[in-house]
Amino acid sequence: MQSRKSPLPRYYQLKEIMREKVTSGDWKPGDLIPSERELGEQYGISRMTARQALTELVNEGLFYREQGKGTFVSRNKITQQLIRLTGFTEDISARGQAPATRVLSMHMIPATEDLAERLRLHVGQPIFRLQRLRLADNEPLAIERSHLSFIGCERLLDEDLETQSLYRVLESRYGIQLIQAEQELEAGLTNEEDAKLLNLPIGSPALYTRRTTYTNRDLPIEYARSVYCGHKYTFYTHMLRNQLVP
Ligand code: 16G
């Protein structure tokens, strides 16, 4: 590290040193970063200074933390294209990774006011609620909380949604055609429950999405609230300027 006389703060110098290690390929995606103590000893700085540099690089997405394991170099992010309506299984398989699902809970619930409005139902009407942890190559990526409503939706309780894609089940078993969806994205920080499921420290950067999916009859069929690990996901959209939009 440069001398103490350098005009740049020491945490900033350390940040740049670590960034350089990643760009030069010295540290590779998934590598464990030395601990605060090790960095402190190696560069003759305090643990606090090392912590600040690490925290900033975590916030920038270059590194991520795993509860009880340490800080790692982020992997290439998974890009969800906000162009075609695709499901998690399709997105992950298209990247050559192995999608997996852990069903956290599924049951019928009465529609709350918010859900009734989203799914165009009356308050109290039965809704199928499914909570899933989604993984790629065994790493947790997202928690999806889906709400579905259609005639006979309670039959979903008997489906094996751990090994089957929900979109596939809806289309092939129930003959439901999924046509379009609206999706909102918001940045946030993981709460205790979500952090634990995603194997992250509480308060890690996350992307919160809300998606309503419609059938061929233009009826909302699914309303899903999801949390994606911020350091593992990118959402991509392609835009046309006014005059080119058909
Ligand atoms: C996506 C959808 C989710 C849907 C799932 C189906 C978002 C925000 N969520 O992850 O609403 O339930 O795909 O995936 O994108 P599956 O067919 O693999 O079960």
Side-chain angles (χ1 to χ4, degrees), residues 151-170:
I151 295 169
C153 62
E154 64 285 349
R155 282 192 289 148
L156 287 171
L157 289 171
D158 301 323
E159 299 288 353
D160 176 2
L161 294 169
E162 197 121 308
T163 59
Q164 300 186 95
S165 137
L166 175 65
Y167 279 3
R168 192 139 235 280
V169 168
L170 292 176

Side-chain angles (χ1 to χ4, degrees), residues 80 82 86-91 99 101 130 132 134 144-146 148 161 164-169 183-184 209-211 213 222-226 228 233 235:
Q80 185 183 113
L82 297 175
T86 49
F88 183 89
T89 306
E90 292 164 90
D91 289 344
T101 304
L130 171 68
R132 294 179 293 174
R134 315 299 308 258
E144 297 186 331
R145 300 182 170 103
S146 297
L148 292 110
L161 294 169
Q164 300 186 95
S165 137
L166 175 65
Y167 279 3
R168 192 139 235 280
V169 168
Q183 186 161 313
E184 296 164 37
T209 72
R210 291 180 289 273
R211 181 188 283 195
T213 308
E222 184 200 23
Y223 170 61
R225 282 193 283 250
S226 310
Y228 289 83
Y233 246 92
F235 287 87

Side-chain angles (χ1 to χ4, degrees), residues 39-56:
L39 288 169
E41 280 169 9
Q42 198 173 339
Y43 294 103
I45 51 173
S46 72
R47 276 180 71 160
M48 280 277 287
T49 305
R51 181 174 314 157
Q52 186 176 359
L54 287 171
T55 302
E56 290 205 3

